[in-house]
Each structure stands twice: as structure tokens, then as C-alpha cells.
Amino acid sequence: LIMRFYSLLFGLMLSLGTMAQTTYYVSKNGSATNDGLSWATAKNFIKNALTVAQDGDIIKVAKGTYADGAITTVTASVTIKGGYDPETDTQDYDNPSELARIGANGRIMSFSTAGKTLTLENLLFESGKADQGAALQAIFPAEQSTDGIVISRCRFSNNTSTSGFGGAIMALSLIHI
């Protein structure tokens, strides 16, 4: 009976260890070569944190303006939270100047992986420009609906679609015939 208890306890500990999430940090003072595991070793762009993030991870972005430049493709179910003060690790939801501003001359973020959820919180997407989905583009297989994106306390400003639709967000479900 005691061995059975310890076996059960060991199995439970193993399963809890696999569910652990990692928090990555992004700051204007960061570097692409940093591990991103603290404010002191933060990554410099969201796209650099996304390359190491796994399902369930959180990416905290310090207030400031980020121009990642190229399209950032999200391949894991992650939460990106902006507007942090690295000294206190807190967010200011009521002051728009405290948002993490994400801007570029091209599309800002592309989300196209099946079965994943992207959660965005307290971010400002500005000055994106693309054919469609200038700030955020989501393409899902037919079997997945477009509710794989959760947007909370985000703002979209001055994003431009050159084709006439999806100036800020384009969500498209592909249908296979």
C-alpha cells in the first residue's frame, strides 16, 4: 500500500512538471541572444520570444515601442501581455501611454497554426501595412474556427490594408474542397 502511494505521488509530480508554463520577458533593453527568462535577461523583440515559447507560455512585454519589422508567425498557444514596468513587474491598464506599442511598415503578426490559441492583452498595434490583415492576420484550417484569438484591452491605430479590407485584423478559415 505504501509503495502504491509513492508510485501515485511520483506519477502526479511528473504530470505536474510537464504542465509548467514559462514566462518570457521582452524589453527595449533586451537582446536577441538573451534567454528571456527575466527582465534582466529579456529578449529585445516579441518575435525572438516567440521562437522559444511553447504552448501555455506567457510573454510579458515592457512598455515602449517595438518595430519587429518582419512578419512574426505564432506557432504555439501563447499569451502576450504588454505594458509592463520592468522595475515593478506590473501593468498599467488605464494609461494608454503605458501600452506596449507594436509598429512596423509591414504586417505585424501572422497566426496560422492549427489548434493553437493566441491571447493578446494590453498591446497597441499601430502603422501596420499589408494587402489584408495589416496588424494581425489569422488563417485557420476549415476544422478550426477563428475564435483561436483572444484580444483584451488592445488598441489598433493607423493600420492600412492596400486591398481594402482587414486594415487591422483579418481572420480567415480555409475550406478544403
Side-chain angles (χ1 to χ4, degrees):
L1 185 62
I2 291 175
M3 281 302 280
R4 194 178 287 166
F5 171 76
Y6 283 116
S7 295
L8 180 61
L9 183 61
F10 181 71
L12 180 61
M13 288 172 57
L14 282 177
S15 68
L16 288 175
T18 61
M19 294 183 340
Q21 69 184 21
T22 301
T23 299
Y24 292 98
Y25 299 84
V26 175
S27 169
K28 293 301 298 173
N29 299 322
S31 169
T33 58
N34 285 349
D35 64 15
L37 296 175
S38 71
W39 288 117
T41 62
K43 297 280 190 185
N44 57 342
F45 291 116
I46 295 170
K47 68 180 177 185
N48 295 332
L50 285 168
T51 62
V52 294
Q54 302 293 313
D55 287 344
D57 288 351
I58 295 172
I59 298 172
K60 291 183 177 182
V61 184
K63 56 188 171 185
T65 301
Y66 300 85
D68 282 18
I71 294 173
T72 301
T73 301
V74 179
T75 59
S77 291
V78 296
T79 299
I80 303 172
K81 298 179 170 192
Y84 277 88
D85 179 344
E87 292 183 22
T88 61
D89 197 35
T90 58
Q91 289 175 296
D92 184 348
Y93 289 114
D94 299 320
N95 186 352
S97 67
E98 300 300 312
L99 293 172
R101 298 174 183 279
I102 303 169
N105 289 326
R107 182 174 297 112
I108 295 168
M109 194 171 291
S110 175
F111 179 62
S112 60
T113 303
K116 304 296 180 182
T117 300
L118 173 64
T119 302
L120 303 170
E121 176 186 299
N122 210 37
L123 300 166
L124 169 62
F125 293 87
E126 65 181 356
S127 302
K129 185 175 182 179
D131 292 351
Q132 52 211 5
L136 180 62
Q137 181 183 67
I139 300 174
F140 300 94
E143 63 274 4
Q144 181 184 356
S145 68
T146 57
D147 58 351
I149 302 174
V150 179
I151 301 172
S152 172
R153 296 182 177 262
C154 290
R155 297 177 186 199
F156 295 83
S157 174
N158 199 32
N159 297 288
T160 306
S161 167
T162 57
S163 69
F165 65 94
I169 302 170
M170 183 190 78
L172 177 66
S173 182
L174 298 177
I175 299 172
H176 300 286
I177 298 178

